[in-house]
Amino acid sequence: MQYSKSTDYALHALIHLGHSERRNNIGIKELSAILGVSESYLSKIMSKLRQDGIVRAVPGVNGGYELARPAEQITFLDVIQVIEGRQQLFECSNSNSRQHRMLAEDGAVQQDQERPGKSECLVEKVMIGAEQHLHQYLREHTIQTILDEAMKRSNHEANKK
């Protein structure tokens, strides 16, 4: 599994918006220069984030983007799902195989409550479990988590001098 560059840029853009000392909006030109990405590409990313209510577009000459909600309420999972989509990462495509039927016949596979008449795929069960753990981890980490860690490191470095 690999996330797209769009997810990388989206997360970094949000961190920059959250870190902005001005606490004002930041224009797409400035944001794209900071991230080293074209304005048009970043505009598409920011548009997705805006449509999902993660950022707010501020119109006008001095307009730009700002966080639409507090940084501690924007999880990594929120951002990833906006950019990458909300589809399940793994789906068993082998449920009609001989091996799958043998496991089902041996009673090693229980009936899946969500799909009556279809036996549960043991591989899919493991993969979905892993995906649930990943989602939980990404839910626990927010834009504010990163900002706090950066501040802690910055303070630690300052204290060393």
Side-chain angles (χ1 to χ4, degrees):
M1 172 184 65
Q2 184 174 358
Y3 295 115
S4 68
K5 287 279 187 199
S6 296
T7 293
D8 181 28
Y9 292 132
L11 289 165
H12 281 90
L14 293 171
I15 289 164
H16 190 74
L17 290 175
H19 185 260
S20 173
E21 291 179 32
R22 294 176 285 175
R23 295 291 176 213
N24 291 338
N25 63 78
I26 299 175
I28 196 72
K29 186 178 224 99
E30 180 184 348
L31 203 51
S32 69
I34 289 165
L35 298 175
V37 62
S38 76
E39 288 180 42
S40 62
Y41 184 51
L42 187 58
S43 290
K44 291 174 187 172
I45 293 168
M46 298 307 285
S47 178
K48 284 183 178 184
L49 295 171
R50 184 187 53 75
Q51 289 170 359
D52 215 64
I54 293 175
V55 297
R56 181 176 26 248
V58 179
V61 176
N62 296 320
Y65 288 97
E66 63 187 10
L67 297 182
R69 54 188 199 239
E72 63 268 5
Q73 293 178 14
I74 303 171
T75 70
F76 270 52
L77 184 62
D78 294 336
V79 177
I80 290 166
Q81 288 182 331
V82 167
I83 303 299
E84 303 289 340
R86 290 174 168 82
Q87 74 277 4
Q88 188 174 309
L89 295 177
F90 182 86
E91 185 176 325
C92 179
S93 58
N94 207 16
S95 60
N96 293 323
S97 73
R98 183 173 174 224
Q99 176 194 28
H100 189 81
R101 284 193 306 273
M102 282 179 9
L103 289 170
E105 289 167 7
D106 289 344
V109 178
Q110 299 172 351
Q111 287 298 103
D112 187 350
Q113 304 292 336
E114 296 173 16
R115 297 180 291 184
K118 195 171 184 186
S119 57
E120 180 183 44
C121 174
L122 297 176
V123 172
E124 184 178 51
K125 183 178 179 180
V126 171
M127 297 303 282
I128 288 173
E131 185 175 343
Q132 289 169 345
H133 284 287
L134 173 63
H135 282 192
Q136 183 58 39
Y137 184 82
L138 294 170
R139 244 183 245 108
E140 292 168 0
H141 291 81
T142 65
I143 299 304
Q144 190 63 51
T145 305
I146 300 302
L147 294 172
D148 292 346
E149 180 64 25
M151 182 63 76
K152 191 167 78 176
R153 288 181 183 191
S154 175
N155 290 340
H156 180 60
E157 287 300 314
N159 290 337
K160 282 173 120 178
K161 293 179 180 179

